[in-house]
Amino acid sequence: MAEPAGSVDEAGDRVDAALAVLRDLGERAVRGGALGPLTTYRVGGAASILVTARSLDDLSLAKTALAESGLPVLVVGRGSNLLVSDRGFPGIAIVLDPSTFSDLSVQGTFVRAGAALPLPSLARQSVEAGFAGLEWGVGVPGSVGGAVRMNAGGHGSDVAHHLESATLLDLTGDRGPEDVPVERMEFAYRHSAVTPAAVVVSACFRLSAGDSEDGRRTIREIVRWRREHQPGGQNAGSVFTNPPGTSAGWLVDSAGLKGRRWRTAEVSPKHANFIQADRGGSADDVYELIHLVRAEVLRQHGIELRPEVRLIGFTPSTSSGGSE
């Protein structure tokens, strides 16, 4: 479902109230902070307030600001699975500073990683430490936190196969950080129990002993395959989840939509489940193309594709296809 729409200017006094709480953060709490550059689409509008958190204390302060202002919250991560409308997000967007939330520690066969650590970095570091199990992560451009949130996966595995627990902080609840075991994460295909208002602070993975050279070889093969089969440029990876028994890319391709363009957005000629945004393009054009593709696949195949990308700040009127 598309998440809250509106204009960054509509928040009014609530933004002032939140900024008053956040004043000790200085330049790490920015009014009208641009979100587009923080996403892999590189398009989209601003947040009413953009907070860069360097500590749990910063997150606690953001939690207070949310409670006192009533503004909605958006946890950004690395923005690799996020499309923000051109009009922006009328609330507080939170980014974890990689300088303090990218730590990695090893205890036995357990590896704990900070939520801002890029998943490809975790994959490579775990291999170099002599572990096996996370090699597939080299092909996922998101952060550890984002990977936990959406149960990211690829090449026959996913987060759910290896997670032991995750430390979560609900920004709208009464509790502090909580260690949540994998049994309570409700993992399913590209799904977890992590709510939009929760921050993944860190994650603990249970791995097995492996040969580092074998791991490096696997990583090289995954990187080679990705370069051959998937486009670079401004995109957020797979746009749609795979329906049972088939692939979204095949459905889009067989509907004759590969290479279809809508203004500044295009279905990738290389992989039909990728939508590219032009440099300097429009997030709303990407959104329109997503709905055009969904409508055509539904018409031809009778299958309604479900977006894997998080859609932020859109309204039904933004698209002729309606809001997801």
Side-chain angles (χ1 to χ4, degrees):
M1 178 175 290
E3 298 181 40
S7 166
V8 294
D9 296 326
E10 293 174 6
D13 293 341
R14 294 188 295 163
V15 173
D16 293 333
L19 285 171
V21 175
L22 298 167
R23 62 182 177 273
D24 288 345
L25 297 184
E27 294 181 354
R28 290 186 289 112
V30 179
R31 188 179 202 126
L35 292 176
L38 301 180
T39 73
T40 53
Y41 268 124
R42 310 294 293 176
V43 296
S48 296
I49 302 172
L50 176 62
V51 170
T52 301
R54 290 181 180 167
S55 65
L56 288 175
D57 286 343
D58 289 356
L59 289 174
S60 179
L61 203 60
K63 186 172 180 176
T64 300
L66 288 163
E68 295 193 8
S69 68
L71 290 169
V73 63
L74 171 65
V75 181
V76 176
R78 293 191 80 206
S80 63
N81 195 46
L82 193 65
L83 180 66
V84 180
S85 75
D86 292 331
R87 66 191 297 179
F89 175 72
I92 301 176
I94 294 178
V95 178
L96 298 182
D97 191 328
S99 69
T100 52
F101 283 98
S102 294
D103 55 305
L104 187 145
S105 61
V106 176
Q107 185 173 5
T109 57
F110 294 96
V111 174
R112 179 171 291 277
L117 183 69
L119 200 62
S121 296
L122 174 61
R124 295 182 187 277
Q125 290 185 54
S126 65
V127 163
E128 294 304 318
F131 296 111
L134 291 177
E135 292 88 341
W136 58 270
V138 76
V140 180
S143 64
V144 166
V148 170
R149 177 184 296 276
M150 68 171 293
N151 188 23
H155 301 273
S157 191
D158 58 20
V159 168
H161 278 84
H162 304 284
L163 189 76
E164 177 71 13
S165 64
T167 301
L168 308 180
L169 175 63
D170 185 351
L171 295 172
T172 58
D174 297 329
R175 298 180 179 178
E178 179 183 11
D179 287 327
V180 181
V182 64
E183 293 81 9
R184 287 174 48 200
M185 291 297 293
E186 300 177 16
F187 281 130
Y189 175 57
R190 302 297 178 263
H191 170 81
S192 78
V194 181
T195 67
V199 175
V200 179
V201 176
S202 65
C204 181
F205 298 89
R206 57 185 185 282
L207 303 178
S208 57
D211 180 84
S212 292
E213 185 52 43
D214 287 344
R216 294 186 200 108
R217 191 177 302 112
T218 299
I219 282 177
R220 287 195 297 268
E221 177 60 23
I222 291 172
V223 171
R224 181 197 63 77
W225 186 92
R226 294 257 173 176
R227 286 175 177 169
E228 287 184 2
H229 294 89
Q230 296 180 352
Q234 297 181 188
N235 65 69
S238 296
V239 175
F240 304 105
T241 58
N242 290 324
T246 188
S247 77
W250 182 87
L251 290 169
V252 177
D253 192 0
S254 63
L257 296 170
K258 184 181 281 188
R260 175 69 65 88
R261 172 166 286 274
W262 177 261
R263 297 176 182 152
T264 64
E266 180 185 42
V267 177
S268 171
K270 191 171 187 178
H271 193 305
N273 198 22
F274 282 60
I275 290 179
Q276 305 285 118
D278 292 349
R279 182 172 297 184
S282 162
D284 292 353
D285 289 350
V286 176
Y287 185 78
E288 288 276 5
L289 188 54
I290 288 173
H291 284 278
L292 183 156
V293 168
R294 293 184 74 202
E296 189 62 18
V297 168
L298 180 61
R299 186 184 72 81
Q300 293 194 34
H301 295 291
I303 295 175
E304 187 167 10
L305 293 175
R306 184 169 66 89
E308 183 172 313
V309 176
R310 293 178 68 198
L311 305 171
I312 306 298
F314 297 95
T315 64
S317 60
T318 306
S319 168
S320 57
S323 178
E324 170 53 26

